[in-house]
Amino acid sequence: MANYDLKNEVNDKYSLRGRVFQKLREDILSGKYKEHEELKEVAIGEELGVSRTPVREAFRQLELEGLIQIVPNKGAYVTGITAKDVKDIYMIRSLLEGLCARLATEKITKEQMEEMEENIYLADFHASKGHMDQMAELDNRFHDILYEACDSKMLEHTLKDYHQYVLRVRQKTLSTNTRGRASNDEHRQIMEAIKAGDADKAEQLANKHMLNAYDNMVKNGLNEIYGEEASKE
Amino acid sequence: MANYDLKNEVNDKYSLRGRVFQKLREDILSGKYKEHEELKEVAIGEELGVSRTPVREAFRQLELEGLIQIVPNKGAYVTGITAKDVKDIYMIRSLLEGLCARLATEKITKEQMEEMEENIYLADFHASKGHMDQMAELDNRFHDILYEACDSKMLEHTLKDYHQYVLRVRQKTLSTNTRGRASNDEHRQIMEAIKAGDADKAEQLANKHMLNAYDNMVKNGLNEIYGEEASKE
DNA sequence: TTCCGTATAATTGTATACAATCATACCATT
DNA sequence: AATGGTATGATTGTATACAATTATACGGAA
């Protein structure tokens, strides 16, 4: 399914660099390239039938998104995420999504509010059917709507960065159906607070929503998966 | 053990790309290249005596830092900052510097605490002498110490990004000596709260510190300088 | 064996040639 | 004069050759 509309920057998906970028991004998020794995310019270039130049530039973009780390004269490595990183991200997101919900209460447009309501309605349906993929997709979209609605490109950009960062983790911590329902209920409460113009409540709910999401990840074995990594530092 | 030190940006200062990157970064921050100005690969390459390749890669890095925006097949443009952007950044920083101070209360090392005290002591001296350049330098360093002390590379990275972003603005809003003194007093209070282990107080003070800094910028004509830009969006 | 230096291979860094795309100016048609 | 299309130049995109750097293997000396 079309999971990246990410049109925040540009859609240069027709340039070679753009295609390499999207392919590598997908492969990293899907887990094809493991953490700390080295990405070699020629190998990837040959695999995709392009020269090193677009690959190198795609690397810089991936670094921009925090998916790889480039060490000069050495190589490009898939960024490792430790359990502590995930914890920190959710701590930060908790604050910022709260701020975002607060701002959105003032700034949200009618269209955005309608899409939000539709999103929640649809998620209810898919929850009842047990369609986990669609649930995940709608969850992503709900947060994107919220980011856009806050009318702050600085905040939107930071939140999208962090959101994208943790997509990889969801790959590993299986989200359960019960969490899917609970999450959507929280979305609904946030939406209703925004609709009612209660910025304080919206902020507080969005805040809690993130902490709950993190708690759920911990319950589902986050630390078991990333534990060894965390102990390294 | 101690596998990757995350401060690689500074490491490649001996590569051509690194040098181009630093030069352009400096020129943008100093205002040599104005907002929305187009940067051309060949022109910059000739000016620095290098080919287009390192210039192109430096461009990607600058985009990574948010200093320029690249439009495919068109060009690279210096990112514009609006008054609203600055406001949003300080709103975000207020929350995150608060979180940072809270975390630092638990995690700060003895060395970091000592450097922080020395920093404040030195700033007192330079304030009395009216050395504004040194004051600015020490202010930057104080925040960097705080970022490092929170022991969260995610938070540190985000805060450094935002910090760097607003350096361009300080160029334009003259920081007064009175604000310099007041700012350093706030630094001292934050430091003392951290030293006393009072995380709540440290968070609250760091929070307020950012809001005060923003208020000062507004007083010194931020909106007059960036007003027209802000109205564009 | 262990250590160190050197040769060799592998990989990234840079320069340059050429292709593709975009902007501009000019001319023709209406 | 206004419009539209085409030629031309400018600029970015890509491929490739070569240089610089790093990693690896090997051999000799302590």
Side-chain angles (χ1 to χ4, degrees):
Chain A
M1 183 131 266
N3 42 0
Y4 34 61
D5 55 5
L6 261 295
K7 70 280 193 176
N8 51 355
E9 305 274 306
V10 226
N11 60 343
D12 61 342
K13 64 179 164 186
Y14 298 113
S15 70
L16 289 189
R17 177 186 66 246
R19 273 158 45 198
V20 173
F21 170 69
Q22 292 196 205
K23 181 66 164 61
L24 289 177
R25 180 168 175 271
E26 197 175 328
D27 286 347
I28 292 173
L29 290 179
S30 75
K32 176 178 169 183
Y33 296 120
K34 312 287 184 225
E35 296 190 353
H36 304 116
E37 183 170 347
E38 184 168 2
L39 300 182
K40 287 168 191 167
E41 296 174 357
V42 281
I44 288 167
E46 282 175 5
E47 187 181 331
L48 302 179
V50 300
S51 79
R52 285 174 55 214
T53 306
V55 174
R56 284 177 67 85
E57 305 209 349
F59 277 13
R60 309 292 169 193
Q61 292 185 299
L62 289 167
E63 187 181 39
L64 180 138
E65 297 231 334
L67 292 175
I68 68 173
Q69 183 184 0
I70 297 173
V71 181
N73 283 311
K74 289 204 58 183
Y77 305 88
V78 177
T79 306
I81 302 183
T82 68
K84 179 172 185 309
D85 288 337
V86 176
K87 182 180 180 181
D88 290 349
I89 289 173
Y90 274 88
M91 207 160 41
I92 295 167
R93 275 186 77 191
S94 173
L95 285 175
L96 296 189
E97 296 246 354
L99 174 61
C100 183
R102 159 179 297 284
L103 295 177
T105 304
E106 299 271 326
K107 299 283 194 170
I108 195 166
T109 67
K110 194 164 57 177
E111 291 75 24
Q112 287 163 339
M113 179 54 81
E114 278 168 6
E115 193 186 348
M116 204 175 257
E117 294 190 71
E118 185 187 324
N119 179 288
I120 293 164
Y121 182 80
L122 254 175
D124 260 343
F125 171 75
H126 286 300
S128 70
K129 295 285 188 179
H131 297 161
M132 302 308 290
D133 284 356
Q134 284 92 334
M135 290 291 287
E137 197 64 41
L138 286 168
D139 180 88
N140 290 342
R141 184 59 195 149
F142 176 86
H143 286 277
D144 277 346
I145 299 168
L146 196 62
Y147 301 160
E148 287 158 17
C150 76
D151 194 38
S152 165
K153 68 169 192 270
M154 307 302 298
L155 184 54
E156 179 182 351
H157 185 257
T158 299
L159 279 170
K160 280 189 174 175
D161 266 9
Y162 279 123
H163 189 200
Q164 145 130 340
Y165 227 90
V166 292
L167 284 184
R168 277 193 288 174
V169 181
R170 188 154 62 189
Q171 198 75 18
K172 302 195 180 183
T173 67
L174 56 165
S175 45
T176 63
N177 197 338
T178 57
R179 176 56 196 161
R181 282 178 182 277
S183 176
N184 198 44
D185 285 343
E186 291 168 16
H187 288 179
R188 181 180 291 105
Q189 289 181 37
I190 293 168
M191 181 270 289
E192 283 171 354
I194 292 174
K195 199 172 184 180
D198 190 339
D200 285 342
K201 191 172 181 185
E203 177 171 16
Q204 179 211 322
L205 286 169
N207 222 289
K208 194 64 172 34
H209 177 53
M210 278 301 105
L211 299 181
N212 288 342
Y214 177 67
D215 284 345
N216 179 258
M217 300 187 78
V218 174
K219 278 205 197 84
N220 283 33
L222 173 73
N223 285 293
E224 283 65 31
I225 294 170
Y226 285 96
E228 359 38 89
E229 294 295 335
S231 63
K232 272 191 192 167
E233 10 202 336
Chain B
M1 222 52 82
N3 28 8
Y4 33 124
D5 62 345
L6 273 281
K7 4 197 106 184
N8 59 349
E9 313 138 16
V10 206
N11 280 6
D12 68 89
K13 67 178 165 190
Y14 298 113
S15 70
L16 290 188
R17 161 171 39 91
R19 272 159 45 200
V20 173
F21 171 71
Q22 289 199 194
K23 183 66 164 54
L24 290 177
R25 181 168 174 270
E26 196 176 328
D27 286 347
I28 291 173
L29 291 179
S30 76
K32 176 179 171 185
Y33 297 119
K34 313 289 184 220
E35 296 189 356
H36 304 116
E37 185 170 344
E38 183 170 2
L39 302 182
K40 287 169 192 166
E41 298 174 355
V42 282
I44 288 167
E46 282 174 4
E47 187 182 330
L48 302 179
V50 300
S51 78
R52 284 173 57 213
T53 307
V55 175
R56 285 176 65 85
E57 306 210 346
F59 277 12
R60 308 292 167 192
Q61 292 185 300
L62 290 167
E63 189 181 39
L64 182 136
E65 298 232 331
L67 292 175
I68 69 173
Q69 184 181 2
I70 298 174
V71 181
N73 283 310
K74 287 205 55 183
Y77 305 88
V78 178
T79 306
I81 302 185
T82 68
K84 180 173 183 309
D85 288 337
V86 176
K87 183 180 180 182
D88 289 350
I89 288 173
Y90 274 89
M91 207 160 40
I92 294 167
R93 275 186 76 191
S94 173
L95 285 176
L96 296 189
E97 296 245 355
L99 174 61
C100 182
R102 160 180 295 284
L103 295 178
T105 305
E106 298 272 325
K107 299 284 195 170
I108 195 166
T109 68
K110 194 164 60 179
E111 290 76 23
Q112 287 163 339
M113 178 55 81
E114 278 169 5
E115 192 185 349
M116 202 174 258
E117 294 191 70
E118 185 186 326
N119 178 289
I120 293 164
Y121 181 81
L122 253 175
D124 260 342
F125 170 77
H126 286 299
S128 69
K129 296 284 189 178
H131 297 161
M132 301 309 289
D133 283 356
Q134 285 91 333
M135 288 292 285
E137 197 63 41
L138 287 168
D139 180 90
N140 290 342
R141 184 60 195 149
F142 176 86
H143 287 277
D144 277 346
I145 299 169
L146 197 61
Y147 301 160
E148 287 158 17
C150 76
D151 194 38
S152 165
K153 69 168 191 270
M154 306 303 298
L155 184 54
E156 179 181 353
H157 185 256
T158 299
L159 279 170
K160 281 189 172 173
D161 265 10
Y162 280 122
H163 189 200
Q164 144 132 337
Y165 228 93
V166 293
L167 285 184
R168 275 194 289 177
V169 180
R170 187 154 65 190
Q171 198 75 17
K172 301 194 178 181
T173 67
L174 56 163
S175 45
T176 63
N177 198 336
T178 56
R179 175 57 196 159
R181 282 180 182 278
S183 176
N184 198 43
D185 285 343
E186 292 169 15
H187 287 180
R188 182 181 290 104
Q189 288 180 38
I190 293 169
M191 180 271 289
E192 283 171 353
I194 291 174
K195 199 172 185 179
D198 191 339
D200 286 341
K201 191 172 182 184
E203 177 171 17
Q204 178 210 323
L205 287 169
N207 221 290
K208 193 66 170 38
H209 178 53
M210 279 300 106
L211 299 181
N212 289 342
Y214 177 68
D215 284 346
N216 179 259
M217 301 187 78
V218 174
K219 279 206 196 82
N220 284 35
L222 172 72
N223 287 292
E224 283 66 30
I225 295 171
Y226 285 96
E228 345 64 57
E229 295 294 337
S231 63
K232 272 190 191 166
E233 354 208 347

